[in-house]
Amino acid sequence: MSFTLKIKDKVEKREIDGDLTIKDLLDDLDLSSETMVSKKNGEIVIEEETIEDGDEIEFIQIIYGG
Amino acid sequence: MGSCTKCGNPNVIIKRKASGQALCKDCFIESIEKKVKQTIKKENFIEKGDKVLVALSGGKDSVVTLEILNSYVKRHIIELCAVTIDEGIAGYREEGVEIAKAHADRLGIPHKVVSFKESFGIDLDEIMKNENHRGSCTYCGVFRRWIINRAAREFGATKIATGHNLDDETQAILMNYLEGNTENLAKIGPKTESNSELFTVKIKPLREIPEKEIGLYALAKGLDIHLAGCPYAQESFRMEISNILNELVKEHPTIKYSTLRGFDKIRPAIRSEMAHDYEFDRCERCGEPSSNRLCRACTFLEELGK
C-alpha cells in the first residue's frame, strides 16, 4: 500500500505498513499538529483520520514562528 | 471517530479538546463567526457608522479579520478600509501584498499599500545591513504602528482593527508578567485607547480565537492567505513562551482561555495601579504624538542616519 504526501511544493510517494493515522505520520515527520492543518484527498481532516491506499495527504503549515 | 456534535455530519474537521466539541466544516465556520461577533459585542468594539481600518498583511489573521468585519459592511453597520505595509523584505513581502490587494479588490474595500521606503527613506533589508541594528522586530513594530496610525487619520477611520489572536494575547500576558514589565502589562487589553486624539482606538476582534483555528477557518472558507515565515524571525522570548504554552495546552486544553479570562478580570486593578497617563505632545521631527521630544520612529531614524 502507498500514499502520496504533499508538503508545500514537495510531493513524494510513501509506503504504509499496517494502520497509519495522520497523527502517526505527523509524529514520524516530527511535525507539530499545533502548526499544521491536514488534508486528505483535498478535504480537511482531523488527526485521527486513517490513511488508506492511494490517498493524497497534504500538510499545510499555518503557524510560523516569529 | 465521531460526527459533528451540532449537526451529525460525519466529516469532522476539528475536535476541540477544550470543549469536547467535534465540528464539521460548516458548523466550525459558523462557530468562529459567532464567537468573533460575541467578542465584538461584549467589548463594544463597533458602533454604527464606524469606519474601521484593517491592518491587512495578507496573512491568515488579518485576512480573517477583514472577512468577518465585512459582514458588518454588508449589514450597513460600518465602513471598512485597509492598509498594507511593505517593509521591504525581498522574497517575502511581495506575495503578501498581492494577496492583500486581491482581498481588498474582491470585497470592494478602499486599500492602500505604504512602504517603509516611501515613509522613512529606508527599508527593512537596508536597516538589517547596519552593524549596530536593534533587531528587525523592534524597527518593524515601531515603524508599522507609525504608518498604521497615520493611515487611519488619512482614511478618516474611527477604529483600527488588528488580527491579534488568543495566542498573541496570552503570550503577551505571560511575557510581561514574567519579565515584571507592569507598564506593558497594563497596556494589554481588547482595546488600546490613548488620551491623544491623534491616536485612533485599536480593536482586536480575534483575541478570543486560538491561532490554529484562525488558520483552519481561512482554509475551510477557501480564503487565499500568505503562508510563509518572515526571514528575519529568530529565537525570541516570545517564541519560548509560545512553545511553553503549546506544550501545556496538550494536557491542559483550556489554559490559553483561562489565562486570558483571568487577566481580563484583574486588568482594571492593574490599570488603575500601574498605568501611566502620558502627556502627549508632537514629535519635533514628524509631528506624530510623542511623550518625548522625538517619537520612537524618529529616534530610530536618527540613529540610522535618516
Side-chain angles (χ1 to χ4, degrees), chain A residues 3-7 10-12 14 25 29 57 59:
Chain A
F3 66 97
T4 308
L5 175 64
K6 191 175 169 207
I7 303 175
K10 216 175 93 188
V11 182
E12 63 176 47
R14 291 176 77 103
L25 183 57
L29 297 167
I57 304 298
F59 292 142

Side-chain angles (χ1 to χ4, degrees), chain B residues 30 100 102 162 196 209 271 281 292:
Chain B
E30 197 185 316
T162 61
S196 168
I209 310 287
R271 279 187 66 85
D281 206 338
N292 295 307

Side-chain angles (χ1 to χ4, degrees), chain B residues 5-293:
Chain B
T5 39
K6 288 205 163 175
C7 74
N9 183 333
N11 300 319
V12 163
I13 67 162
I14 185 171
K15 274 192 174 177
R16 285 182 172 141
K17 287 186 191 153
S19 64
Q21 268 181 331
L23 297 174
C24 69
K25 188 161 101 173
D26 289 346
C27 290
F28 170 71
I29 288 171
E30 197 185 316
S31 83
I32 293 291
E33 291 172 354
K34 190 175 164 192
K35 180 78 182 170
V36 174
K37 285 172 188 168
Q38 278 171 350
T39 304
I40 288 172
K41 194 171 177 190
K42 181 177 74 181
E43 304 293 355
N44 292 315
F45 278 159
I46 281 173
E47 289 165 63
K48 189 166 171 58
D50 264 339
K51 185 169 188 179
V52 182
L53 172 74
V54 176
L56 182 67
S57 68
K60 63 184 187 317
D61 304 302
S62 62
V63 168
V64 169
T65 301
L66 188 79
E67 182 72 15
I68 297 182
L69 285 180
N70 192 53
S71 67
Y72 291 79
V73 177
K74 284 183 190 161
R75 288 185 284 146
H76 307 289
I77 297 170
I78 61 167
E79 274 181 75
L80 275 181
C81 48
V83 63
T84 300
I85 295 163
D86 180 353
E87 304 92 351
I89 306 174
Y92 167 71
R93 175 48 65 207
E94 299 87 344
E95 191 187 345
V97 168
E98 288 312 310
I99 290 172
K101 274 186 194 166
H103 281 295
D105 275 358
R106 173 177 66 87
L107 300 172
I109 291 166
H111 175 235
K112 65 168 99 178
V113 180
V114 183
S115 69
F116 278 10
K117 188 79 178 176
E118 69 187 270
S119 304
F120 309 116
I122 189 165
D123 65 26
L124 199 62
D125 284 341
E126 290 167 336
I127 291 172
M128 294 306 286
K129 285 181 191 139
N130 272 278
E131 274 185 20
N132 299 319
H133 65 72
R134 290 169 172 259
S136 55
C137 301
T138 306
Y139 297 104
C140 213
V142 168
F143 288 160
R144 272 197 301 202
R145 279 193 292 277
W146 189 96
I147 292 175
I148 291 168
N149 201 50
R150 186 164 277 208
R153 290 203 311 272
E154 286 168 3
F155 269 119
T158 50
K159 302 273 166 63
I160 296 168
T162 61
H164 289 91
N165 56 50
L166 179 64
D167 294 58
D168 296 325
E169 291 288 86
T170 50
Q171 287 159 14
I173 292 165
L174 271 188
M175 278 168 65
N176 287 304
Y177 184 75
L178 294 176
E179 289 178 322
N181 192 338
T182 48
E183 195 174 316
N184 277 359
L185 200 61
K187 288 180 192 163
I188 299 170
K191 271 188 195 175
T192 313
E193 289 178 87
S194 160
N195 55 12
S196 168
E197 284 183 5
L198 294 172
F199 281 123
T200 308
V201 177
K202 290 197 179 113
I203 57 170
K204 302 170 180 170
L206 306 184
R207 79 188 287 264
E208 295 181 52
I209 310 287
E211 184 170 12
K212 184 172 178 189
E213 293 195 18
I214 295 169
L216 188 60
Y217 174 91
L219 292 179
K221 288 260 305 191
L223 296 171
D224 192 16
I225 50 174
H226 184 213
L227 291 167
C230 175
Y232 292 122
Q234 52 198 341
E235 283 299 321
S236 60
F237 185 52
R238 179 180 282 272
M239 219 186 272
E240 288 179 61
I241 294 293
S242 165
N243 292 339
I244 292 169
L245 278 164
N246 285 337
E247 204 48 50
L248 280 172
V249 86
K250 289 179 186 167
E251 295 300 323
H252 309 275
T254 56
I255 202 104
K256 291 176 189 172
Y257 297 100
S258 58
T259 303
L260 185 70
R261 216 169 30 243
F263 177 77
D264 279 350
K265 280 185 198 158
I266 58 172
R267 187 160 43 87
I270 296 174
R271 279 187 66 85
S272 72
E273 289 290 319
M274 300 294 174
H276 295 285
D277 273 335
Y278 289 105
E279 286 299 319
F280 283 103
D281 206 338
R282 284 180 182 255
C283 168
E284 271 180 19
R285 248 178 77 128
C286 69
E288 288 298 310
S290 174
S291 51
N292 295 307
R293 186 179 67 83

Side-chain angles (χ1 to χ4, degrees), chain A residues 8 21 23 26 32-40 42-50 60-66, chain B residues 1 12-15 25 60 167 211-213 215-216 219-220 225-230 233-234 236 238-239 246 249 256:
Chain A
K8 280 197 161 179
T21 64
K23 183 170 188 337
L26 284 169
S32 162
S33 61
E34 270 302 302
T35 61
M36 295 280 171
V37 169
S38 314
K39 283 188 173 181
K40 177 171 138 171
E43 298 292 332
I44 300 169
V45 290
I46 54 173
E47 288 172 37
E48 288 96 324
E49 187 77 21
T50 312
I60 303 162
Q61 186 175 351
I62 48 164
I63 297 179
Y64 291 81
Chain B
M1 263 189 317
V12 163
I13 67 162
I14 185 171
K15 274 192 174 177
K25 188 161 101 173
K60 63 184 187 317
D167 294 58
E211 184 170 12
K212 184 172 178 189
E213 293 195 18
L216 188 60
L219 292 179
I225 50 174
H226 184 213
L227 291 167
C230 175
Q234 52 198 341
S236 60
R238 179 180 282 272
M239 219 186 272
N246 285 337
V249 86
K256 291 176 189 172

